[in-house]
């Protein structure tokens, strides 16, 4: 028992040396959260754009305070491709792919230029309504995944720039 306690204590003492630190330390008043609040997301065309923009704004906790330092511009590529063809040339499976190229702009300088993407498989069934519903659900899920990827990358950028100051 004492040996286990000693090993546990030794392990906890080595954790600060690993270099890990919380990304959102300080909560909503922390440097990363404050930096994310200063991002304005430009309008994005189409339904996928509307979904991605709203998901990003939800994650950024956009306060609409008018004190935006950064502008986030996003271009989306949404593709729905059928494959898995039967003998009668009917598609049995679809793949929905959503890719985003985004730029974080500070004034007139692009400070971050990156991409995010995800895809989903969809079963094509005999009910057209069910297939359309599955396609829409896939789009909503992909929009959320893209938003998570973009906001995570923005948070890492904010943390690096705060550490460099």
């Amino acid at each position: 028992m004492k040996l286990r306690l000693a090993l546990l204590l030794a392990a906890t003492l080595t954790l600060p040396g690993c270099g890990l630190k919380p990304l959102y330390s300080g909560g909503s008043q922390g440097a990363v959260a404050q930096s994310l609040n200063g991002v304005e997301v430009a309008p994005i065309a189409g339904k996928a754009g509307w979904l991605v923009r709203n998901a990003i704004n939800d994650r950024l906790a956009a306060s609409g305070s008018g004190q935006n330092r950064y502008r986030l511009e996003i271009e989306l590529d949404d593709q729905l491709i059928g494959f898995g063809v039967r003998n009668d040339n009917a598609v049995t499976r679809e793949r929905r792919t959503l890719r985003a190229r985004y730029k974080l702009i500070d004034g007139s300088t692009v400070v971050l230029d990156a991409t995010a993407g995800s895809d989903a498989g969809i079963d094509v069934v005999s009910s057209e309504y069910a297939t359309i519903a599955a396609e829409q659900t896939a789009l909503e899920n992909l929009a959320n995944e893209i938003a998570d990827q973009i906001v995570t990358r923005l948070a890492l950028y904010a943390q690096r720039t705060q550490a460099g100051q």
Side-chain angles (χ1 to χ4, degrees), residues 26-97:
S28 64
Q29 302 304 315
V32 171
Q34 292 298 315
S35 184
L36 291 178
N37 280 336
V39 175
E40 172 196 1
V41 183
I44 311 167
K47 182 176 183 176
W50 182 81
L51 289 168
V52 169
R53 184 173 189 259
N54 284 345
I56 290 172
N57 280 331
D58 288 347
R59 285 156 179 77
L60 292 177
S63 61
S65 62
Q67 301 173 0
N68 295 323
R69 175 179 175 184
Y70 299 104
R71 179 173 173 85
L72 182 63
E73 295 180 356
I74 303 171
E75 295 175 18
L76 292 178
D77 179 25
D78 181 20
Q79 294 183 0
L80 186 60
I81 301 169
F83 65 96
V85 181
R86 294 189 312 221
N87 289 338
D88 62 352
N89 287 334
V91 173
T92 60
R93 189 101 171 121
E94 293 177 333
R95 178 178 171 182
R96 184 158 217 158
T97 305

Side-chain angles (χ1 to χ4, degrees), residues 100-118:
R101 176 159 186 207
Y102 57 97
K103 296 177 184 178
L104 185 64
I105 302 169
D106 184 1
S108 62
T109 305
V110 176
V111 294
L112 181 62
D113 186 353
T115 60
S118 191

